[in-house]
Amino acid sequence: MLRKYLKPITMRSMKRWLIAAGLSSLLLSLTVGCSAQNESSPELTIYSGRSEDFIAPFLAAWQDNSGVKLNIRYGDSAELAVQILEEGDNSPADLFLAQDAGSLGAISAAGLFTPIANDVATLIPTKYIAKNREWIGLTARARVFAYDPNKIKTLPLSISDLIKPIYKNQLAIAPTNASFQAFVTAMINSNGIDFSRNWLAAIKANGVKIYAKNSAIVEAIDKGEVSIGLVNHYYIWEVSEALGRELNVINGFFAPGDIGNLINVSGIGILKSSDKVDLAKGLIDFLASSEIQKKFVSDTHEYSLIDNQSAPTGLPTLAEIGSPNVDLGLLKDVKTTQDLLIEVGLL
Amino acid sequence: MQLLNDNEKINELGLYQGQGKLGKRFLSFATAFVITLSMLPLFYLIVRAIQRPFEQTADLLLRDKTFEVVGTTALLVVLVVVLTGIFGLAIASGLHFVELPLKPLLIIPAFLPLAIPSYVFTYTWIALIPGFSGFFAAVFILTLTTLPYVTLACLAGFRRVNSSQIEVARSLGLNYPTTFLRVVLPQIRGHLSGGLLLAGLYSMSDFGAVSLLNVDTLTVTIQNMYRASYDRTAAAVMSLVLIFLSALFVIGDEKIRQKNMKTKVINTLSIRGELIQKLSYQIAIMVIIFTYTLLAVLVPIYVLLTRFISNPIAIKWDMVFSASISTVSVALFGAAIAMVLSIPIGILFSEESTLLTRATNRIILIGHALPGVVIGLALVSFSSRFDLIYQTTFLLAFAYALLFLAKSVATMSSSLAQVPSGAKEVAATLGLSRWAVLKNVVAPISSPGIALGTTLVFLTAMKELPATLMLRPTGFETLATQIWSYAAINRFNEAAPYALILIAIAAIPTFILSRPDQADRIQLSQGFGS
Amino acid sequence: MASIEIKNLDVSLGNKKVLDNLSLNLGSGQIAALLGPSGCGKTTLLRAIAGLLQPTAGTIRFDKQLVSLSSLVLPAHKRKIGYVPQDGALFPHLNVEKNIAFGLDKSSLTKMQIKQIVKEMLALIDLVGFEKRMPNQLSGGQQTRVALARALAVKPAMILLDEPFSALDAQLRIDLRADVIKLLRSQNTTAILVTHDREEALVSADQLALMQNGRIIQQGPPEQVYSSPNSATTAISTGDALVLKARKFSDGKTDYLFSPINLNSSDLETGEVVIRPEEIKISADAAHGMITGQINKIDYYGHDAMISINVADNLLQVRIPGPLDFKVGQKVGLTHVGPIRFFAHS
């Protein structure tokens, strides 16, 4: 039976292959060509480090509103940043939308962003905008401790509490994860490297459990493998949606001002190589508008950066959290952090 | 008058030679072009690396961490090579020499893992065993992933061993194992080494599996340098270290092959010997193949299917469909380019082994160990200057061709070498032009091998991720990029249909890959009984 | 050296019965030629004797010792057989010396002993000085000789040669054949030589076994098989033969071309008479002979000539020695001088 399908490869089948390859490439170049032909309607190219699932509906809304066609390239923030660095002045991107301040800082440091005028995104507080206005924050996420309310009765007030015996073998972290590394970087910047080294060594000695991802920590708490874990605030929603059920996990915050409450932002910048700055500004204004910011909170469970916006369901506002005072631009270099994590044996 | 006549003759002769020279010149030019292209990544890395101050480079190279990472990488590669060597030989010899029930059905699972990208492999194993990570997990995954390369190479080698040699050895008092060790193995050294080289280079360049399993290899370090500090010069230095490692490997393989060169096949007359019917062998082989099938085929597919079924979110089938079309067409395009690019090199390789051809071979092979990210960035760096091609499907296909050129060049040159020079000469005396000889003699004999190499490129290109992410046209999604984008936000359930479709599509060329063996068997069994 | 006794051997490959109830005997030290058209199962028989395949029925004995009973077989490596396949099958990765020493038992022989044996073998096959050559540096004849030496080096109980000379040109073939036969006789080796060359079979063997469709159809000393074939088919397979329609009466008289009998009797067998070309005498005098014919064609070979002669509707081929003075078109007289071999239709 099978032999019928397993005919030896002949010259003719080779030819068929070639023809198929040729036709498909023709087809492809045609479709690519089509999009280029439509020069009448304006276009913008965005490199997005924010995942399609979260951001696509918002960008689609603007596309419908403005009539500007968006070409969106999704990828990992850091990798897209390196790609932009490599493209330099030749980058086809008009805008870079990044998951974290670090990637934006890298582009800014290479001088590839153009400053954004003062009349753009007026509602965003200046502390979430780069000092030279080369990028603007759009949404925020908070570092939290996710925990099982049935098991953790005494909540930690500071990250230093986590080295206490009551949390022995209870705590989970994801040291390879960028957001955990950002947190450690912030800790090094504000509390010093010795403090950070001691803290990391102490949680290790206290039996910290290592996971590959934030979501894996949340799942592990839900399953009862661990009781408490350091994650970003929105992972409970993410895991719950992916599993299609409620979880036995809730978010907790440290005392206001504790480094454990680090707020990191996603943001956007306009590339110097873009010749469509006005269109780009329009998009940033749209994303920073009060209406869209509200939708970020309700749909993606992120924090809005605009003052007096409500927090995601069931969570305190940014003001109530009391984020530590950290220059987000400094979070771009996590080299020292990684070396430290390696030194204490967590990486 | 006489003089004039002679001159005329010389002219005629000169014209003919001129044509030959022209062909040769074109070949050399085309080869130089392809070599230049395949050296782009190396060139890029050197440019980036020398931008780094010398002391910093020295510091980077001499720090403990570097030695540790190089050690981890080397150990990982060595273990994978040893394990794939043992099991690849076992599976291939079982499939070739031992009488097994339903053999065509056994061949398929031996190759099907080629259709599964290593990152998908790793995801499924992590999903199955929480906490599955670390060095030995990586050895395990990479062994499963690269085993088919070795099996495939060994099978090709076995087919070249004349079975009457085996019969002679048996009649001289050797049992099966000693016959295998003394007669078969020495003759397939070159093939085995080639397969192990592919497996080793793959393990060296793999990023997906090692990063998910938290193993600090060179590729992970390189990636971390980009991600942690956007440090392209440090990453370039480490990439050069990786190139150095792979060069050692490539040269080692070359030494083995050179030894094997001496043992040219002296005749091609071969009857297929009796298949071994020893029960103990049959059981051992079946156990190995079944275990491999379980670990490398059934587990991933089982996990993906359960994820797929338990997924509560509606699947966007139109997206799945368009991603499939994109994946197949651009990979096909890339495979076609790889085939065309490897023709001049293949012809040169098949005709002579000079310093130049060997150097070319090295360059092409060494590039094989670079992680896709590095080659992607190198191409970004060069091609972003050209608006017309940057981020087009053409560039992406071209990148695939460069990434996997080694695969198609290797098969191209060995298939062209199969064409007996006598046949070419006879055809020429029969009045066929060079072109006609190529078309009527060379192409029919070598096309199965060439198609095999092209299929291999097609298969690998479909699974490629890092370069695809960088070089695809904006908005162009392949199955691999879709799997990545769902997995990146932990939506494994939603990634599952894409992974399943990718495996299903990649299974088709995998069947083709296992096919020549089948064809050989049919052909040979007809030659029985004379 | 061992004798071979094969009884009622059946071998099937796939669904095809390749050896069918085959029997063969060979005394110790004898050389047998196995002659038959290609596809008749010669190689298969050889491989069955070597233990390289599994018969479905029958027995094979070496020196009365059972080595194969139905599908139970002594594995090849325990049979002590020298096997020289069609292409020699030298190991391409080993040089001449190592090829010859390949089967020698390294645990029971010292290095010096092995070296000595290789040296003797090289002398035997007249390739001294070729120790370090690789197989692809040897000519076809040299390869065959090395393959033979490799087989002989282990002092096998018998040696099986599968058309070892088929790839060689005529003169080399004759010379090498003579050498090999001499070699085998000097070692007193039992040997089976597979061939489809009639001359080779007749010249080389003590015993000639004719094979057809998986059976031995006649076995005996070459002269006997040649001169007393047991059927028209065997006659044809050992040499040129004229096959003439014939009738044999119950009184022993035979009606055939050379002695026509015009008698209608029901008491007869129909069949054929087989005549060798050299058994017909030809005379320039058309009246001098049993019958008259006309020369149609002359093929001159130097040492002899083959003359085709029309007799009635038959075309007879007659071999005559040396110089001749016949012409095409000439009428000649023909006499049958040999035995009248009549084979009835079954």
Side-chain angles (χ1 to χ4, degrees):
Chain A
M1 257 314 279
L2 217 64
R3 281 188 186 167
K4 203 166 81 188
Y5 302 98
L6 303 178
K7 278 181 290 188
I9 300 162
T10 60
M11 195 58 203
R12 195 193 289 174
S13 63
M14 276 262 291
K15 263 186 204 155
R16 250 183 270 144
W17 268 78
L18 278 181
I19 291 167
L23 278 182
S24 57
S25 50
L26 197 75
L27 212 82
L28 275 171
S29 45
L30 279 179
T31 49
V32 173
C34 273
S35 56
Q37 270 171 8
N38 260 339
E39 294 217 347
S40 50
S41 70
E43 291 186 24
L44 266 184
T45 299
I46 304 175
Y47 282 13
S48 171
R50 310 231 54 204
S51 71
E52 183 172 9
D53 215 56
F54 293 154
I55 203 73
F58 298 96
L59 296 176
W62 186 71
Q63 181 169 279
D64 292 344
N65 273 358
S66 64
V68 176
K69 188 179 179 307
L70 289 179
N71 302 315
I72 312 156
R73 186 176 196 83
Y74 294 101
D76 173 87
S77 292
E79 278 163 24
L80 286 173
V82 175
Q83 180 162 3
I84 292 173
L85 291 179
E86 217 42 88
E87 290 166 347
D89 295 336
N90 302 312
S91 180
D94 298 301
L95 288 151
F96 178 35
L97 180 58
Q99 176 92 346
D100 58 301
S103 302
L104 295 164
I107 302 298
S108 177
L112 293 172
F113 273 148
T114 189
I116 300 166
N118 280 322
D119 60 346
V120 178
T122 45
L123 292 176
I124 305 284
T126 47
K127 65 170 173 175
Y128 297 120
I129 295 177
K131 290 197 176 66
N132 48 14
R133 287 194 68 84
E134 286 196 336
W135 56 266
I136 289 174
L138 286 178
T139 61
R141 55 186 173 280
R143 290 295 293 175
V144 297
F145 55 86
Y147 66 102
D148 179 345
N150 300 325
K151 289 195 186 149
I152 300 292
K153 299 297 180 193
T154 325
L155 299 183
L157 294 174
S158 139
I159 56 163
S160 298
D161 286 345
L162 294 172
I163 62 180
K164 289 181 177 165
I166 48 165
Y167 301 112
K168 194 165 179 71
N169 300 327
Q170 303 287 311
L171 179 67
I173 58 170
T176 53
N177 190 271
S179 49
F180 179 81
Q181 293 184 1
F183 151 69
V184 177
T185 311
M187 175 164 61
I188 295 171
N189 278 323
S190 56
N191 299 21
I193 191 147
D194 291 331
F195 173 87
S196 308
R197 183 183 296 115
N198 292 338
W199 183 80
L200 289 168
I203 59 161
K204 187 165 189 250
N206 209 22
V208 71
K209 298 249 173 65
I210 307 293
Y211 285 85
K213 290 177 168 263
N214 282 323
S215 54
I217 295 179
V218 172
E219 278 194 68
I221 297 171
D222 182 55
K223 277 190 232 158
E225 287 173 26
V226 287
S227 311
I228 182 168
L230 296 179
V231 295
N232 291 341
H233 77 268
Y234 50 81
Y235 279 101
I236 295 180
W237 280 284
E238 205 177 295
V239 173
S240 155
E241 277 167 21
L243 295 179
R245 60 177 169 84
E246 290 290 312
L247 303 181
N248 183 31
V249 186
I250 53 178
N251 282 326
F253 290 86
F254 298 99
D258 189 84
I259 196 70
N261 290 351
L262 178 73
I263 305 291
N264 202 345
V265 298
S266 72
I268 193 164
I270 303 174
L271 290 161
K272 216 177 228 168
S273 51
S274 169
D275 52 3
K276 293 167 187 160
V277 175
D278 285 336
L279 284 181
K281 283 198 283 195
L283 175 59
I284 297 178
D285 258 338
F286 175 79
L287 293 175
S289 69
S290 157
E291 183 198 354
I292 296 304
Q293 289 280 315
K294 219 174 250 157
K295 273 190 87 64
F296 274 130
V297 177
S298 60
D299 294 2
T300 68
H301 314 291
E302 287 175 286
Y303 279 98
S304 161
L305 292 179
I306 305 178
D307 289 334
N308 305 324
Q309 281 272 2
S310 56
T313 328
L315 294 184
T317 62
L318 282 181
E320 285 162 354
I321 293 170
S323 64
N325 207 0
V326 174
D327 179 359
L328 294 176
L330 292 177
L331 297 185
K332 84 172 163 43
D333 193 346
V334 293
K335 193 91 194 7
T336 325
T337 306
Q338 290 187 343
D339 288 344
L340 187 65
L341 288 169
I342 290 164
E343 187 188 324
V344 297
L346 286 173
L347 257 191
Chain B
M1 267 321 273
Q2 187 60 42
L3 209 87
L4 194 77
N5 256 344
D6 274 358
N7 261 347
E8 268 173 12
K9 272 182 199 157
I10 289 165
N11 260 343
E12 256 170 48
L13 221 82
L15 207 72
Y16 179 69
Q17 282 178 345
Q19 214 179 8
K21 259 188 199 157
L22 203 72
K24 199 104 201 173
R25 210 175 291 163
F26 174 74
L27 255 181
S28 314
F29 177 77
T31 310
F33 176 70
V34 177
I35 296 171
T36 314
L37 285 178
S38 50
M39 277 180 75
L40 280 182
L42 188 66
F43 181 64
Y44 161 80
L45 288 176
I46 291 172
V47 167
R48 281 277 174 268
I50 55 181
Q51 283 171 348
R52 193 179 178 83
F54 177 73
E55 313 88 73
Q56 281 187 34
T57 304
D59 276 355
L60 180 64
L61 288 176
L62 296 175
R63 64 185 187 144
D64 290 350
K65 177 81 180 151
T66 302
F67 289 102
E68 218 174 275
V69 166
V70 169
T72 309
T73 309
L75 191 63
L76 177 77
V77 170
V78 167
L79 283 178
V80 169
V81 163
V82 169
L83 287 172
T84 51
I86 294 170
F87 290 109
L89 272 174
I91 293 176
S93 52
L95 290 176
H96 190 79
F97 295 115
V98 180
E99 171 84 56
L100 297 172
L102 296 174
K103 203 175 260 189
L105 290 179
L106 289 179
I107 292 176
I108 293 163
F111 295 116
L112 200 58
L114 277 180
I116 307 174
S118 65
Y119 48 87
V120 170
F121 240 116
T122 318
Y123 277 131
T124 57
W125 272 93
I126 291 175
L128 192 73
I129 307 175
F132 181 80
S133 80
F135 180 78
F136 289 102
V139 172
F140 175 76
I141 292 287
L142 287 172
T143 302
L144 292 185
T145 317
T146 56
L147 191 56
Y149 290 115
V150 183
T151 311
L152 206 62
C154 290
L155 270 179
F158 289 151
R159 269 180 250 133
R160 295 278 162 90
V161 178
N162 194 332
S163 70
S164 53
Q165 287 163 14
I166 295 166
E167 299 188 338
V168 168
R170 301 256 302 121
S171 72
L172 288 171
L174 272 64
N175 57 17
Y176 286 122
T178 23
T179 305
F180 185 77
L181 285 178
R182 290 184 57 195
V183 176
V184 180
L185 202 53
Q187 293 192 59
I188 65 149
R189 258 192 321 217
H191 283 93
L192 176 62
S193 165
L196 293 178
L197 181 74
L198 276 186
L201 292 180
Y202 184 103
S203 315
M204 240 184 243
S205 70
D206 178 76
F207 172 73
V210 284
S211 65
L212 286 169
L213 296 171
N214 285 331
V215 183
D216 247 341
T217 62
L218 271 167
T219 52
V220 172
T221 309
I222 291 165
Q223 190 92 359
N224 275 344
M225 283 170 164
Y226 288 128
R227 304 189 50 144
S229 45
Y230 310 94
D231 189 346
R232 288 171 291 159
T233 62
V237 171
M238 295 312 276
S239 300
L240 288 173
V241 172
L242 188 62
I243 284 192
F244 176 74
L245 266 192
S246 70
L248 290 182
F249 206 22
V250 167
I251 290 168
D253 169 65
E254 236 172 57
K255 288 270 175 294
I256 293 174
R257 270 169 208 269
Q258 270 167 11
K259 256 192 200 162
N260 235 38
M261 284 280 279
K262 279 196 278 179
T263 70
K264 267 191 188 155
V265 182
I266 39 175
N267 43 45
T268 47
L269 185 75
S270 107
I271 20 168
R272 182 158 178 101
E274 276 285 277
L275 292 172
I276 300 174
Q277 301 199 332
K278 245 178 136 170
L279 193 64
S280 57
Y281 289 8
Q282 289 169 330
I283 291 173
I285 292 297
M286 294 294 269
V287 166
I288 293 176
I289 293 180
F290 277 134
T291 313
Y292 182 59
T293 309
L294 179 72
L295 299 179
V297 180
L298 296 182
V299 163
I301 290 178
Y302 165 77
V303 171
L304 287 173
L305 277 176
T306 48
R307 287 277 177 162
F308 174 60
I309 292 162
S310 68
N311 178 22
I313 299 158
I315 295 156
K316 298 174 197 145
W317 284 109
D318 54 330
M319 290 291 292
V320 177
F321 182 72
S322 71
S324 308
I325 298 286
S326 306
T327 305
V328 170
S329 40
V330 77
L332 217 53
F333 192 14
I337 297 178
M339 190 182 85
V340 172
L341 288 183
S342 54
I343 287 174
I345 304 183
I347 292 177
L348 270 190
F349 281 15
S350 69
E351 282 179 353
E352 52 194 340
S353 168
T354 63
L355 209 67
L356 179 78
T357 58
R358 263 172 289 157
T360 310
N361 195 28
R362 276 181 208 164
I363 288 165
I364 292 170
L365 275 173
I366 288 166
H368 221 55
L370 283 176
V373 147
V374 172
I375 293 183
L377 279 178
L379 284 172
V380 166
S381 173
F382 286 101
S383 61
S384 60
R385 290 153 220 259
F386 308 104
D387 280 355
L388 260 181
I389 57 160
Y390 188 54
Q391 290 180 355
T392 57
T393 43
F394 170 76
L395 182 72
L396 182 56
F398 190 78
Y400 288 157
L402 278 193
L403 267 166
F404 309 122
L405 193 59
K407 289 191 170 83
S408 89
V409 166
T411 46
M412 176 74 72
S413 54
S414 64
S415 342
L416 287 175
Q418 266 175 23
V419 181
S421 56
K424 282 186 253 178
E425 284 157 12
V426 166
T429 59
L430 290 172
L432 270 67
S433 70
R434 278 171 79 98
W435 169 245
V437 170
L438 214 61
K439 191 178 144 214
N440 297 319
V441 180
V442 179
I445 297 178
S446 54
S447 60
I450 295 172
L452 200 78
T454 309
T455 309
L456 206 55
V457 175
F458 171 61
L459 180 61
T460 340
M462 280 204 296
K463 302 186 293 177
E464 208 285 336
L465 181 60
T468 311
L469 280 175
M470 279 184 202
L471 298 170
R472 69 196 158 133
T474 296
F476 182 86
E477 298 290 348
T478 67
L479 291 167
T481 63
Q482 289 287 24
I483 294 169
W484 171 85
S485 58
Y486 283 113
I489 52 168
N490 304 311
R491 302 259 178 100
F492 299 119
N493 294 351
E494 282 161 83
Y498 291 94
L500 283 169
I501 294 275
L502 177 57
I503 293 174
I505 295 176
I508 298 165
T510 308
F511 285 126
I512 297 175
L513 284 177
S514 56
R515 209 163 57 161
D517 180 59
Q518 194 65 21
D520 261 11
R521 186 156 304 129
I522 293 163
Q523 222 177 347
L524 287 167
S525 63
Q526 286 164 353
F528 252 139
S530 61
Chain C
M1 301 303 124
S3 63
I4 309 173
E5 185 192 305
I6 300 172
K7 254 192 196 155
N8 311 105
L9 192 68
D10 280 3
V11 173
S12 294
L13 297 174
N15 295 325
K16 199 179 151 211
K17 200 160 190 183
V18 182
L19 296 187
D20 182 8
N21 199 20
L22 182 144
S23 297
L24 177 74
N25 284 308
L26 190 61
S28 170
Q30 283 194 312
I31 296 174
L34 207 52
L35 180 66
S38 45
C40 73
K42 298 181 304 260
T43 300
T44 304
L45 174 57
L46 222 55
R47 287 158 44 97
I49 296 172
L52 295 166
L53 50 79
Q54 212 177 22
T56 43
T59 56
I60 302 175
R61 288 167 202 273
F62 292 173
D63 273 343
K64 310 281 173 211
Q65 185 113 42
L66 209 51
V67 295
S68 185
L69 172 65
S70 289
S71 58
L72 301 172
V73 297
L74 184 70
H77 63 281
K78 294 185 177 156
R79 292 198 181 188
K80 290 207 66 151
I81 275 181
Y83 178 45
V84 182
Q86 227 172 72
D87 45 29
L90 293 187
F91 303 119
H93 58 296
L94 301 175
N95 61 22
V96 167
E97 187 178 38
K98 286 186 178 151
N99 258 292
I100 294 176
F102 188 88
L104 296 173
D105 186 357
K106 280 160 190 87
S107 56
S108 66
L109 293 168
T110 65
K111 259 193 183 154
M112 278 313 293
Q113 283 171 315
I114 289 175
K115 223 170 182 157
Q116 189 55 37
I117 296 173
V118 170
K119 220 171 128 187
E120 283 167 23
M121 285 298 145
L122 281 168
L124 207 62
I125 59 170
D126 203 17
L127 282 177
V128 177
F130 284 66
E131 290 85 346
K132 304 292 175 202
R133 293 273 189 102
M134 295 304 285
N136 61 333
Q137 297 169 308
L138 299 176
S139 71
Q142 289 166 338
Q143 286 185 22
T144 307
R145 282 190 277 175
V146 175
L148 196 68
R150 179 181 59 188
L152 287 171
V154 294
K155 310 233 177 302
M158 74 188 67
I159 195 156
L160 307 174
L161 304 147
D162 190 357
E163 305 201 22
F165 314 119
S166 61
L168 310 177
D169 64 72
Q171 194 52 48
L172 183 64
R173 181 179 184 149
I174 291 166
D175 293 347
L176 186 61
R177 185 170 72 207
D179 287 351
V180 168
I181 297 300
K182 210 171 90 189
L183 201 70
L184 294 174
R185 293 212 190 286
S186 72
Q187 307 271 312
N188 196 24
T189 312
T190 311
I192 297 181
L193 170 71
V194 161
T195 179
H196 60 249
D197 181 327
R198 300 184 291 208
E199 186 189 305
E200 189 166 290
L202 292 167
V203 166
S204 320
D206 304 317
Q207 286 281 313
L208 178 60
L210 296 179
M211 252 189 107
Q212 197 172 39
N213 296 330
R215 293 163 176 268
I216 302 285
I217 52 174
Q218 190 173 5
Q219 191 200 335
E223 323 82 66
Q224 186 201 324
V225 176
Y226 183 82
S227 59
S228 313
N230 58 11
S231 72
T233 326
T234 45
I236 293 167
S237 51
T238 48
D240 296 334
L242 301 172
V243 179
L244 303 171
K245 269 190 202 151
R247 299 188 298 170
K248 183 161 188 167
F249 297 92
S250 53
D251 60 359
K253 292 213 170 77
T254 309
D255 164 31
Y256 73 117
L257 187 65
F258 284 87
S259 86
I261 300 171
N262 279 322
L263 189 75
N264 277 328
S265 163
S266 55
D267 197 12
L268 55 75
E269 286 177 296
T270 60
E272 283 146 352
V273 160
V274 174
I275 301 173
R276 295 286 183 195
E278 61 272 18
E279 291 170 346
I280 296 173
K281 287 277 170 291
I282 176 169
S283 157
D285 179 1
H288 188 85
M290 297 162 85
I291 50 171
T292 309
Q294 186 173 23
I295 295 182
N296 174 278
K297 189 175 140 217
I298 300 174
D299 293 312
Y300 182 64
Y301 295 108
H303 50 78
D304 62 7
M306 188 68 92
I307 300 181
S308 309
I309 300 164
N310 276 328
V311 181
D313 287 336
N314 300 289
L315 188 68
L316 300 187
Q317 303 224 299
V318 178
R319 182 173 289 133
I320 61 159
L324 77 173
D325 35 29
F326 292 108
K327 286 187 182 62
V328 174
Q330 186 181 349
K331 290 228 157 116
V332 291
L334 298 167
T335 310
H336 178 206
V337 293
I340 301 170
R341 302 185 195 86
F342 177 82
F343 301 108
H345 288 303
S346 50

